[in-house]
Amino acid sequence: MRTDSYSVFADFYDELMSEVDYPALADYFDALIHQNGVTSGILLDLACGTGTLSALLAQRGWDVIGADVSAEMLSHSKPHGNLSYIRQDMTELDLFGTIDAAVCALDGLNHLTDESELAEALRRVSLFMNAGGVFVFDVNTLYKHETILSNHTFIKETPNLYCVWDNHYSEGGTVDIELNIFARRNNAYSRHIEVITERAYDLYRIRALCEQMGFSVIHEYDFLAHEPPQKTSEKVVFVCRKVV
């Protein structure tokens, strides 16, 4: 099982991700699945993190399985009546039955830094998905890693947190992200450090791997849009159908 599992970041994840419009993201993913022929059933939220998106998709009528490798992230998960969580690595996914749809949001697949891992994660989702099922996922692009993240530093500040985000780019689309988080508790700051590695893949290669694993790529969109990705797209959404 992978070890880079947000063990430190988990305690601060929701606060640092507060700018994400999760209801809009849930509506977007839900609509894409519906538009491509799946309107109900069991949905897998792969790399679900703290389960914010999982809970919102459950509220929209799906029976949701949230899967994440990090026990720390899952400890902050959001309960819902038709939602269950499992601690599993994407490359070791082993469900009790089949699923009708799946999502993987907010660059979850970019955490797989070896192409064989990405291929295995796609194979595992395909293995448990019913024919005709829809898998929607987003990925950071090479453009984002090479140009936006690159070797740049970003600052994120909230009322209780100060985070310095240092990026270290390597050829081949890999970025090591060092997070220095200063958390304020009882008028004192404590420092927490986490290093996360992400890799961006050529979109053609992602498409080829999907097809090898039994998916047909129906659409590729710019993030949160219904338009094709551009050369400067930072995040691309794949909509895939299980065909074999």
Side-chain angles (χ1 to χ4, degrees):
M1 184 173 287
R2 296 168 59 83
T3 57
D4 54 337
S5 56
Y6 281 178
S7 59
V8 172
F9 193 26
D11 287 339
F12 314 106
Y13 183 82
D14 286 334
E15 189 168 354
L16 289 170
M17 298 292 286
S18 59
E19 77 281 2
V20 176
D21 188 344
Y22 279 102
L25 185 61
D27 286 342
Y28 179 68
F29 276 68
D30 182 58
L32 288 177
I33 297 169
H34 276 73
Q35 290 165 9
N36 288 283
V38 179
T39 58
S40 63
I42 300 174
L43 180 148
L44 171 69
D45 184 5
L46 193 65
C48 68
T50 61
T52 302
L53 181 63
S54 303
L56 289 168
L57 289 168
Q59 291 172 15
R60 283 155 178 77
W62 296 99
D63 293 315
V64 178
I65 302 169
D68 200 275
V69 70
S70 171
E72 292 83 2
M73 293 289 272
L74 291 173
S75 72
H76 296 276
S77 60
K78 283 73 177 170
H80 192 276
N82 52 326
L83 167 60
S84 59
Y85 293 102
I86 55 175
R87 185 191 178 201
Q88 288 190 1
D89 191 305
M90 289 184 279
T91 65
E92 299 174 3
L93 187 70
D94 189 11
L95 303 179
F96 295 108
T98 57
I99 57 176
D100 303 290
V103 301
C104 188
L106 301 176
D107 53 90
L109 290 174
N110 290 107
H111 290 267
L112 303 174
T113 56
D114 187 285
E115 187 177 295
S116 65
E117 294 177 332
L118 176 59
E120 181 62 13
L122 293 171
R123 188 187 75 83
R124 292 274 178 160
V125 175
S126 177
L127 177 66
F128 291 101
M129 182 169 284
N130 293 321
V134 175
F135 182 23
V136 181
F137 61 88
D138 65 60
V139 289
N140 285 344
T141 62
L142 282 167
Y143 171 81
K144 180 176 181 179
H145 279 210
E146 293 172 348
T147 307
I148 305 301
L149 298 183
S150 188
N151 291 301
H152 299 148
T153 297
F154 302 95
I155 302 296
K156 170 74 175 182
E157 187 172 7
T158 74
N160 295 309
L161 292 176
Y162 185 84
C163 178
V164 180
W165 174 350
D166 284 316
N167 298 292
H168 307 281
Y169 179 77
S170 301
E171 291 299 323
T174 298
V175 174
D176 292 321
I177 302 167
E178 181 177 315
L179 300 169
N180 278 268
I181 301 169
F182 299 86
R184 186 172 68 178
R185 300 289 186 271
N186 299 320
N187 296 318
Y189 281 90
S190 57
R191 184 185 182 190
H192 309 266
I193 300 174
E194 181 103 76
V195 178
I196 301 163
T197 301
E198 294 195 15
R199 179 181 174 186
Y201 293 88
D202 187 286
L203 299 182
Y204 293 104
R205 190 61 192 145
I206 295 174
R207 187 184 306 119
L209 289 173
C210 289
E211 292 172 352
Q212 288 175 22
M213 300 308 161
F215 291 107
S216 172
V217 177
I218 313 169
H219 303 289
E220 293 175 34
Y221 293 130
D222 211 349
F223 187 57
L224 294 180
H226 290 83
E227 303 297 329
Q230 307 299 313
K231 290 182 179 180
T232 56
S233 294
E234 298 181 25
K235 193 183 290 289
V236 171
V237 175
F238 282 78
V239 183
C240 306
R241 176 174 287 120
K242 173 68 180 296
V243 292
V244 294

Coordinates of all heavy atoms in Angstrom, one line a residue, residues 122-173:
L122 N -6.7 2.0 -13.5 CA -7.8 2.0 -14.5 C -8.3 0.6 -14.7 O -9.5 0.4 -14.9 CB -7.2 2.5 -15.8 CG -6.8 4.0 -15.8 CD1 -6.1 4.4 -17.1 CD2 -8.1 4.9 -15.7
R123 N -7.4 -0.4 -14.7 CA -7.8 -1.8 -14.9 C -8.7 -2.2 -13.7 O -9.7 -2.9 -13.9 CB -6.6 -2.7 -14.9 CG -6.9 -4.2 -15.3 CD -5.7 -5.1 -15.1 NE -5.4 -5.4 -13.7 CZ -6.1 -6.3 -13.0 NH1 -7.0 -7.0 -13.6 NH2 -5.7 -6.5 -11.8
R124 N -8.4 -1.8 -12.5 CA -9.2 -2.2 -11.3 C -10.6 -1.6 -11.4 O -11.6 -2.2 -11.1 CB -8.5 -1.7 -10.1 CG -7.2 -2.5 -9.8 CD -7.5 -3.8 -9.0 NE -6.3 -4.5 -8.8 CZ -6.1 -5.5 -7.9 NH1 -7.2 -5.8 -7.1 NH2 -5.0 -6.1 -7.7
V125 N -10.7 -0.3 -11.8 CA -12.0 0.3 -11.9 C -12.8 -0.4 -13.0 O -14.0 -0.7 -12.8 CB -11.9 1.8 -12.3 CG1 -13.3 2.4 -12.5 CG2 -11.2 2.6 -11.1
S126 N -12.2 -0.7 -14.1 CA -12.8 -1.4 -15.2 C -13.3 -2.8 -14.8 O -14.4 -3.3 -15.1 CB -11.9 -1.6 -16.4 OG -12.4 -2.3 -17.5
L127 N -12.5 -3.5 -14.0 CA -12.8 -4.9 -13.6 C -14.1 -4.9 -12.8 O -14.9 -5.9 -12.9 CB -11.7 -5.4 -12.7 CG -11.8 -6.8 -12.0 CD1 -11.9 -7.8 -13.1 CD2 -10.7 -7.0 -11.0
F128 N -14.4 -3.9 -12.0 CA -15.6 -3.9 -11.1 C -16.8 -3.1 -11.7 O -17.8 -3.0 -11.1 CB -15.2 -3.4 -9.7 CG -14.3 -4.3 -9.0 CD1 -13.0 -4.0 -8.9 CD2 -14.8 -5.4 -8.4 CE1 -12.1 -4.8 -8.2 CE2 -14.0 -6.3 -7.7 CZ -12.6 -6.0 -7.6
M129 N -16.6 -2.6 -12.9 CA -17.7 -1.8 -13.5 C -18.5 -2.6 -14.5 O -18.0 -3.3 -15.3 CB -17.1 -0.6 -14.2 CG -18.1 0.4 -14.8 SD -17.5 2.0 -15.3 CE -17.2 2.8 -13.8
N130 N -19.8 -2.4 -14.3 CA -20.7 -3.1 -15.2 C -20.6 -2.5 -16.7 O -20.2 -1.4 -16.8 CB -22.2 -2.9 -14.8 CG -22.5 -3.6 -13.5 OD1 -22.0 -4.7 -13.3 ND2 -23.3 -2.9 -12.6
A131 N -20.8 -3.4 -17.7 CA -20.8 -2.9 -19.0 C -21.8 -1.7 -19.2 O -22.9 -1.8 -18.7 CB -21.2 -4.1 -20.0
G132 N -21.3 -0.7 -19.9 CA -22.1 0.5 -20.1 C -21.9 1.5 -19.0 O -22.4 2.6 -19.1
G133 N -21.2 1.2 -17.9 CA -21.0 2.1 -16.8 C -20.1 3.2 -17.3 O -19.4 3.2 -18.3
V134 N -20.1 4.3 -16.5 CA -19.4 5.6 -16.9 C -18.4 5.9 -15.8 O -18.8 5.9 -14.6 CB -20.4 6.7 -17.1 CG1 -19.7 8.0 -17.4 CG2 -21.3 6.4 -18.3
F135 N -17.2 6.2 -16.2 CA -16.1 6.6 -15.3 C -15.7 8.0 -15.7 O -15.3 8.3 -16.9 CB -15.0 5.7 -15.5 CG -13.8 6.0 -14.5 CD1 -13.9 6.7 -13.4 CD2 -12.5 5.5 -14.9 CE1 -12.8 6.9 -12.5 CE2 -11.4 5.7 -14.0 CZ -11.6 6.4 -12.9
V136 N -15.8 9.0 -14.8 CA -15.5 10.4 -15.0 C -14.3 10.7 -14.1 O -14.4 10.6 -12.9 CB -16.7 11.3 -14.8 CG1 -16.2 12.8 -15.1 CG2 -17.9 10.9 -15.6
F137 N -13.2 11.3 -14.6 CA -12.1 11.7 -13.8 C -11.4 12.9 -14.4 O -11.5 13.2 -15.6 CB -11.1 10.5 -13.6 CG -10.5 10.0 -14.9 CD1 -9.3 10.6 -15.4 CD2 -11.0 9.0 -15.6 CE1 -8.7 10.2 -16.6 CE2 -10.4 8.5 -16.8 CZ -9.2 9.1 -17.2
D138 N -10.8 13.7 -13.5 CA -10.0 14.8 -14.0 C -8.5 14.6 -13.7 O -8.2 13.9 -12.7 CB -10.5 16.1 -13.4 CG -10.3 16.2 -11.9 OD1 -9.2 16.1 -11.4 OD2 -11.3 16.4 -11.2
V139 N -7.7 15.2 -14.5 CA -6.2 15.1 -14.3 C -5.6 16.4 -14.6 O -6.1 17.2 -15.4 CB -5.6 14.0 -15.2 CG1 -5.9 12.6 -14.8 CG2 -6.0 14.3 -16.7
N140 N -4.6 16.7 -13.8 CA -3.7 17.9 -14.1 C -3.0 17.6 -15.4 O -2.5 16.5 -15.6 CB -2.7 18.2 -13.0 CG -3.4 18.8 -11.8 OD1 -4.5 19.3 -11.8 ND2 -2.7 18.8 -10.6
T141 N -2.7 18.6 -16.2 CA -2.1 18.5 -17.4 C -0.6 18.8 -17.3 O -0.1 19.3 -16.4 CB -2.6 19.5 -18.5 OG1 -2.4 20.8 -18.0 CG2 -4.1 19.3 -18.7
L142 N 0.2 18.3 -18.4 CA 1.6 18.6 -18.4 C 1.8 20.1 -18.4 O 2.7 20.6 -17.8 CB 2.2 18.0 -19.7 CG 2.5 16.5 -19.6 CD1 2.7 15.9 -21.0 CD2 3.6 16.2 -18.7
Y143 N 0.9 20.9 -19.1 CA 1.0 22.3 -19.1 C 1.0 22.9 -17.7 O 1.8 23.8 -17.4 CB -0.1 22.9 -20.0 CG -0.2 24.4 -19.9 CD1 0.7 25.3 -20.7 CD2 -1.0 25.1 -19.0 CE1 0.6 26.6 -20.5 CE2 -1.1 26.4 -18.9 CZ -0.3 27.2 -19.6 OH -0.3 28.6 -19.5
K144 N 0.1 22.4 -16.9 CA 0.0 22.9 -15.5 C 1.3 22.6 -14.8 O 1.8 23.5 -14.1 CB -1.2 22.3 -14.8 CG -1.3 22.8 -13.4 CD -2.6 22.3 -12.7 CE -2.7 22.8 -11.3 NZ -4.0 22.4 -10.6
H145 N 1.8 21.4 -14.9 CA 3.0 21.0 -14.1 C 4.2 21.7 -14.6 O 5.0 22.2 -13.8 CB 3.2 19.5 -14.2 CG 2.3 18.7 -13.3 ND1 2.7 17.5 -12.7 CD2 1.1 19.0 -12.7 CE1 1.7 17.1 -11.9 NE2 0.7 18.0 -11.9
E146 N 4.3 21.9 -15.9 CA 5.5 22.5 -16.5 C 5.5 24.0 -16.4 O 6.6 24.6 -16.2 CB 5.6 22.1 -18.0 CG 5.9 20.6 -18.2 CD 5.8 20.3 -19.7 OE1 5.3 21.1 -20.5 OE2 6.2 19.1 -20.0
T147 N 4.3 24.6 -16.4 CA 4.2 26.1 -16.5 C 3.7 26.7 -15.2 O 4.2 27.7 -14.7 CB 3.4 26.5 -17.7 OG1 3.9 25.8 -18.8 CG2 3.4 28.0 -17.9
I148 N 2.6 26.2 -14.7 CA 1.9 26.8 -13.5 C 2.6 26.4 -12.2 O 2.9 27.3 -11.4 CB 0.4 26.5 -13.5 CG1 -0.2 26.8 -14.9 CG2 -0.3 27.2 -12.4 CD1 -0.1 28.3 -15.3
L149 N 2.7 25.1 -12.0 CA 3.4 24.7 -10.8 C 4.9 24.8 -10.9 O 5.5 25.5 -10.1 CB 3.0 23.2 -10.5 CG 1.5 22.9 -10.2 CD1 1.3 21.5 -9.9 CD2 0.9 23.8 -9.2
S150 N 5.5 24.1 -11.8 CA 6.9 24.2 -12.1 C 7.7 24.3 -10.9 O 7.6 23.4 -10.0 CB 7.1 25.4 -13.0 OG 8.5 25.5 -13.5
N151 N 8.6 25.3 -10.7 CA 9.4 25.5 -9.5 C 8.9 26.7 -8.7 O 9.7 27.3 -8.0 CB 10.8 25.6 -9.8 CG 11.4 24.3 -10.4 OD1 11.4 23.3 -9.7 ND2 11.9 24.3 -11.6
H152 N 7.6 26.9 -8.8 CA 7.0 28.1 -8.2 C 6.6 27.8 -6.7 O 6.4 26.7 -6.3 CB 5.8 28.6 -9.0 CG 6.2 29.0 -10.4 ND1 5.3 28.9 -11.4 CD2 7.3 29.5 -10.9 CE1 5.9 29.3 -12.5 NE2 7.1 29.7 -12.2
T153 N 6.4 28.9 -6.0 CA 6.0 28.8 -4.6 C 4.7 29.6 -4.5 O 4.5 30.7 -5.0 CB 7.0 29.5 -3.6 OG1 8.2 28.7 -3.7 CG2 6.5 29.5 -2.2
F154 N 3.7 29.0 -3.7 CA 2.4 29.6 -3.5 C 2.2 29.8 -2.0 O 2.7 29.0 -1.2 CB 1.3 28.8 -4.1 CG 1.5 28.6 -5.6 CD1 2.1 27.5 -6.1 CD2 1.0 29.6 -6.5 CE1 2.2 27.3 -7.5 CE2 1.2 29.4 -7.9 CZ 1.8 28.2 -8.4
I155 N 1.4 30.7 -1.6 CA 1.0 31.0 -0.2 C -0.5 30.8 -0.1 O -1.2 31.4 -0.9 CB 1.5 32.4 0.3 CG1 3.0 32.5 0.1 CG2 1.0 32.6 1.7 CD1 3.8 31.6 0.9
K156 N -0.9 30.1 0.9 CA -2.3 30.0 1.2 C -2.5 30.3 2.7 O -1.9 29.8 3.5 CB -2.8 28.5 1.0 CG -4.2 28.2 1.5 CD -5.3 28.9 0.6 CE -6.7 28.4 1.1 NZ -7.8 29.0 0.3
E157 N -3.4 31.3 2.9 CA -3.6 31.8 4.3 C -5.1 31.8 4.6 O -5.9 32.2 3.8 CB -3.0 33.2 4.5 CG -3.0 33.7 5.9 CD -2.3 35.0 6.0 OE1 -1.9 35.6 5.0 OE2 -2.1 35.4 7.2
T158 N -5.4 31.2 5.8 CA -6.8 31.3 6.3 C -6.7 31.8 7.7 O -5.6 32.0 8.2 CB -7.4 29.8 6.3 OG1 -6.8 29.1 7.4 CG2 -7.2 29.1 5.0
P159 N -7.8 32.0 8.4 CA -7.8 32.6 9.7 C -6.9 31.7 10.7 O -6.3 32.3 11.6 CB -9.2 32.6 10.1 CG -10.0 32.8 8.9 CD -9.2 32.0 7.9
N160 N -6.8 30.4 10.4 CA -6.1 29.6 11.4 C -4.9 28.9 10.8 O -4.2 28.1 11.5 CB -7.1 28.5 12.0 CG -8.2 29.1 12.8 OD1 -7.9 29.9 13.7 ND2 -9.4 28.8 12.5
L161 N -4.6 29.1 9.5 CA -3.5 28.4 8.8 C -2.7 29.3 8.0 O -3.3 30.3 7.4 CB -4.1 27.3 7.9 CG -4.7 26.1 8.6 CD1 -5.3 25.1 7.5 CD2 -3.8 25.3 9.5
Y162 N -1.4 29.0 7.9 CA -0.6 29.7 6.9 C 0.2 28.6 6.2 O 1.0 27.8 6.9 CB 0.4 30.7 7.6 CG 1.2 31.5 6.7 CD1 0.7 32.6 6.1 CD2 2.5 31.1 6.4 CE1 1.5 33.4 5.2 CE2 3.3 31.8 5.6 CZ 2.8 33.0 5.0 OH 3.6 33.7 4.1
C163 N 0.1 28.4 4.9 CA 0.7 27.3 4.2 C 1.6 27.8 3.1 O 1.2 28.7 2.3 CB -0.4 26.4 3.6 SG 0.3 25.0 2.6
V164 N 2.9 27.4 3.1 CA 3.8 27.7 2.1 C 3.9 26.4 1.2 O 4.3 25.4 1.7 CB 5.2 28.1 2.6 CG1 6.2 28.4 1.5 CG2 5.1 29.3 3.6
W165 N 3.6 26.5 -0.1 CA 3.5 25.4 -1.0 C 4.7 25.6 -2.0 O 4.6 26.4 -2.9 CB 2.2 25.5 -1.7 CG 1.9 24.5 -2.7 CD1 2.8 23.7 -3.4 CD2 0.7 24.2 -3.4 NE1 2.2 22.9 -4.4 CE2 0.9 23.3 -4.4 CE3 -0.6 24.8 -3.2 CZ2 -0.2 22.8 -5.2 CZ3 -1.7 24.3 -4.0 CH2 -1.4 23.3 -5.0
D166 N 5.7 24.8 -1.8 CA 6.9 24.8 -2.7 C 6.8 23.7 -3.7 O 6.7 22.5 -3.3 CB 8.2 24.7 -1.9 CG 8.6 26.0 -1.2 OD1 8.5 27.1 -1.8 OD2 9.0 25.9 0.0
N167 N 7.0 24.0 -5.0 CA 7.0 23.0 -6.0 C 8.4 22.8 -6.6 O 9.1 23.8 -6.8 CB 6.0 23.4 -7.2 CG 4.6 23.6 -6.7 OD1 4.0 22.6 -6.4 ND2 4.1 24.8 -6.7
H168 N 8.7 21.5 -6.9 CA 10.0 21.2 -7.4 C 9.8 20.3 -8.6 O 9.4 19.1 -8.5 CB 10.9 20.5 -6.4 CG 11.0 21.3 -5.1 ND1 11.9 22.4 -5.0 CD2 10.4 21.1 -3.9 CE1 11.8 22.9 -3.8 NE2 10.9 22.1 -3.1
Y169 N 9.9 20.8 -9.8 CA 9.6 20.1 -11.1 C 10.7 19.3 -11.6 O 11.9 19.7 -11.5 CB 9.2 21.1 -12.1 CG 8.8 20.5 -13.5 CD1 7.6 19.9 -13.6 CD2 9.7 20.5 -14.5 CE1 7.3 19.3 -14.8 CE2 9.4 19.9 -15.7 CZ 8.2 19.3 -15.9 OH 7.9 18.7 -17.1
S170 N 10.4 18.1 -12.1 CA 11.4 17.2 -12.7 C 10.9 16.9 -14.1 O 9.7 16.9 -14.4 CB 11.5 15.9 -11.9 OG 11.9 16.1 -10.6
E171 N 11.8 16.7 -15.0 CA 11.5 16.3 -16.4 C 10.6 15.1 -16.4 O 10.8 14.2 -15.6 CB 12.7 16.1 -17.2 CG 13.5 17.3 -17.5 CD 12.8 18.4 -18.2 OE1 12.0 18.0 -19.1 OE2 13.0 19.6 -18.0
G172 N 9.6 15.1 -17.3 CA 8.7 13.9 -17.4 C 7.4 14.2 -16.7 O 6.5 13.3 -16.6
G173 N 7.2 15.4 -16.2 CA 5.9 15.8 -15.7 C 5.7 15.7 -14.2 O 4.6 15.8 -13.7

